[in-house]
Amino acid sequence: MDLMDLAAAAEVIEAPKPETLPRLSAALAGAIPHTGLAELITCPQSPFQVHGESPGAGGSAITIAEVAALRPLLPASGVWQGLAVMAGIEVPVVALSSARSEPGALLVLLRTEDTPVPEEQLALVQALWDLLTAHRAGVQTDVVPTGRLGTSRAAAAARAMAISELGETHEAALTSLLHTLRDRDLDDTDARTRAIDLTLTALSELRARAELDQVLVEERASDAFERLTESLRRILRPRGVRLDLGIPGAEEGADRILPGDVVNTASAAVRAAVHASMEDQGGSHGRQASRIHVGWKVDGAGLRATVRDDGPGALSRRSFDARRVSERLAPLGGRLEVDAVPDWGTTVTIEVPLIPPDTPRQDPLIELGARELEVLAQLALGRRNRDIAQQLHISESTVKFHLAKIFDKLGVSSRGEAAALAHQWGAA
């Protein structure tokens, strides 16, 4: 199959997430025969995934660390082919990275033969990989909060896998050392030499895996800004709009390590602001922005991003409400400000605190049963026990019983306190 067949590319791009790798594998099979492939994206919202057969004996699986070890061999956006250890076995692979939208996005194909793949085929495979990662960047631009739970679970799964591998590496290193120390065929010098070699190797692998675990949940501010600006260039370049950057330096917290959810939420809000500037200010306003400035600053309180254009100054919060930006910022305690000056341009300010907001107090009424809620609602209306009994068609002693249970569950000692809680939490 020709990899440049747009229908085949569309099938991969439009696939539901669980089907993306299987369809990608099928699309690449003609150009590069392979038994399986693995994907690793160091964005906190994207987990490690494997599809196909593992080369390892006894069901051994490809690990995150094995795939991550290939990253230094690749250019920022390019292809590498050669022998690599996958599932503990050295096999021929082709590895691809992409700087189109997800710097560090890595795809590894486990080949069926070790003869070099022709350059023209590698170029076609790279093109399809770039299309897929560029599409993902477009999806990330849509600031939809309903996906937060799913992506958080995916990130947690990826991190759990990395932590599991850390434990397995610790166990393997200690087992090897113990075996060396118990080996009666080795003299002290040989045992010491082997133990040192094992320890150095284990330490190197543990550090690599620990760094990978950190990447899954955190990102350096300067790296996050660079990743953001690459995606913005792809948005603005085709429109002929100039992008000016307020690149963070040391004073702007460039070296600060930021939580992944803060970085991704702020980045998505910035991209939404750029899209709004380009798409929501044309028509009757007479002109569009020709230049957009994006700034990025981190201080002790949080991350502050600004988007300033030289357009007609016609943006309003409605544009951002339509893109559901505030809904995405709210869970992190973030906020958005829009300052539009007619004929001068618009400045959008996005602030996301580094410390998450306090957990909202749980609704105390959740502990009450259906009948207890009915009694509480009547009490909150100021009715006496006799009136409540008549209204609910129960005995007055039953009302007293329910009130005693209500007071106990709510931790209150008077009718007034119970009524106040009822009003506060919407039971009245």
Side-chain angles (χ1 to χ4, degrees), residues 166-181:
L166 277 171
E168 291 172 0
T169 302
H170 275 293
E171 182 181 1
L174 292 173
T175 300
S176 298
L177 284 172
L178 185 60
H179 178 75
T180 298
L181 295 174

Side-chain angles (χ1 to χ4, degrees), residues 127-150:
L128 182 55
W129 180 234
D130 285 344
L131 279 172
L132 179 59
T133 55
H135 169 71
R136 286 171 172 167
V139 172
Q140 289 177 0
T141 301
D142 296 329
V143 193
V144 181
T146 54
R148 287 181 57 81
L149 180 58

Side-chain angles (χ1 to χ4, degrees), residues 16 33 48 73 89 94 126 138 140 173 190 198 221 245 283 299 303 326 336 406 428:
F48 171 66
L73 304 177
I89 297 177
V94 168
Q126 181 74 62
Q140 289 177 0
D190 290 339
L198 286 170
L245 302 174
D299 57 24
L303 170 60
S326 295
L336 171 78
I406 290 170

Side-chain angles (χ1 to χ4, degrees), residues 239-241 275-292 309-314 345:
R239 301 172 183 260
V241 177
H275 275 287
S277 178
M278 294 294 94
E279 298 168 7
D280 299 350
Q281 297 192 98
S284 61
H285 300 297
R287 65 185 177 90
Q288 290 184 331
S290 62
R291 183 176 64 182
I292 290 182
D309 68 39
D310 63 351

Side-chain angles (χ1 to χ4, degrees), residues 21-376:
L21 283 190
R23 293 193 190 183
L24 180 61
S25 177
L28 298 178
I32 304 179
H34 58 278
T35 60
L37 48 77
E39 177 188 66
L40 175 62
I41 302 175
T42 55
C43 171
Q45 294 184 340
S46 299
F48 171 66
Q49 298 185 69
V50 177
H51 170 72
E53 299 179 6
S54 172
S60 298
I62 299 171
T63 68
I64 294 177
E66 288 172 337
V67 175
L70 298 179
R71 184 169 286 119
L73 304 177
L74 285 91
S77 176
V79 183
W80 178 87
Q81 54 180 321
L83 296 175
V85 175
M86 293 285 137
I89 297 177
E90 192 173 62
V91 294
V93 302
V94 168
L96 304 96
S97 65
S98 176
R100 291 286 183 181
S101 56
E102 302 174 68
L106 192 62
L107 180 70
V108 179
L109 288 83
L110 281 64
R111 299 183 56 206
T112 57
E113 54 187 34
D114 59 1
T115 56
V117 179
E119 290 296 328
E120 59 271 19
Q121 289 179 298
L122 291 176
L124 293 175
V125 174
Q126 181 74 62
L128 182 55
W129 180 234
D130 285 344
L131 279 172
L132 179 59
T133 55
H135 169 71
R136 286 171 172 167
V139 172
Q140 289 177 0
T141 301
D142 296 329
V143 193
V144 181
T146 54
R148 287 181 57 81
L149 180 58
T151 52
S152 295
R153 286 175 175 171
R159 190 183 183 210
M161 187 180 298
I163 293 173
S164 175
E165 290 180 11
L166 277 171
E168 291 172 0
T169 302
H170 275 293
E171 182 181 1
L174 292 173
T175 300
S176 298
L177 284 172
L178 185 60
H179 178 75
T180 298
L181 295 174
R182 286 178 171 175
D183 192 342
R184 298 181 181 276
D185 295 331
L186 295 175
D187 58 29
D188 289 348
T189 301
D190 290 339
R192 186 180 299 108
T193 300
R194 183 176 296 183
I196 291 173
D197 290 341
L198 286 170
T199 302
L200 291 174
T201 301
L203 284 174
S204 177
E205 187 172 0
L206 284 170
R207 285 168 182 162
R209 293 174 189 246
E211 290 172 0
L212 179 60
D213 174 50
Q214 183 180 27
V215 165
L216 289 169
V217 294
E218 297 176 329
E219 188 170 7
R220 191 177 302 277
S222 57
D223 295 338
F225 185 73
E226 182 179 354
R227 180 164 60 88
L228 170 63
T229 55
E230 283 300 317
S231 68
L232 295 179
R233 288 190 179 100
R234 284 187 293 276
I235 296 171
L236 299 177
R237 189 179 295 119
R239 301 172 183 260
V241 177
R242 174 180 169 183
L243 176 63
D244 293 336
L245 302 174
I247 300 175
E251 294 183 356
E252 290 78 29
D255 295 329
R256 289 283 299 274
I257 301 298
L258 306 178
D261 54 354
V262 170
V263 166
N264 285 279
T265 298
S267 297
V270 168
R271 285 192 293 267
V274 170
H275 275 287
S277 178
M278 294 294 94
E279 298 168 7
D280 299 350
Q281 297 192 98
S284 61
H285 300 297
R287 65 185 177 90
Q288 290 184 331
S290 62
R291 183 176 64 182
I292 290 182
H293 179 277
V294 176
W296 189 267
K297 181 178 180 180
V298 182
D299 57 24
L303 170 60
R304 186 173 188 268
T306 56
V307 180
R308 185 171 65 250
D309 68 39
D310 63 351
L315 272 183
S316 68
R317 288 193 67 93
R318 288 194 299 274
S319 295
F320 297 92
D321 291 340
R323 290 173 168 81
R324 305 173 72 177
V325 176
S326 295
E327 291 183 47
R328 178 70 179 266
L329 291 170
L332 298 181
R335 65 187 187 90
L336 171 78
E337 292 183 0
V338 182
D339 182 15
V341 181
D343 299 324
W344 283 91
T346 304
T347 299
V348 179
T349 304
I350 297 131
E351 295 185 356
V352 184
L354 298 182
I355 300 175
D358 294 336
T359 302
R361 186 162 65 100
Q362 185 179 9
D363 181 355
L365 307 186
I366 198 172
E367 301 294 332
L368 303 184
R371 177 61 82 179
E372 291 169 344
L373 285 171
E374 291 177 343
V375 172
L376 178 62

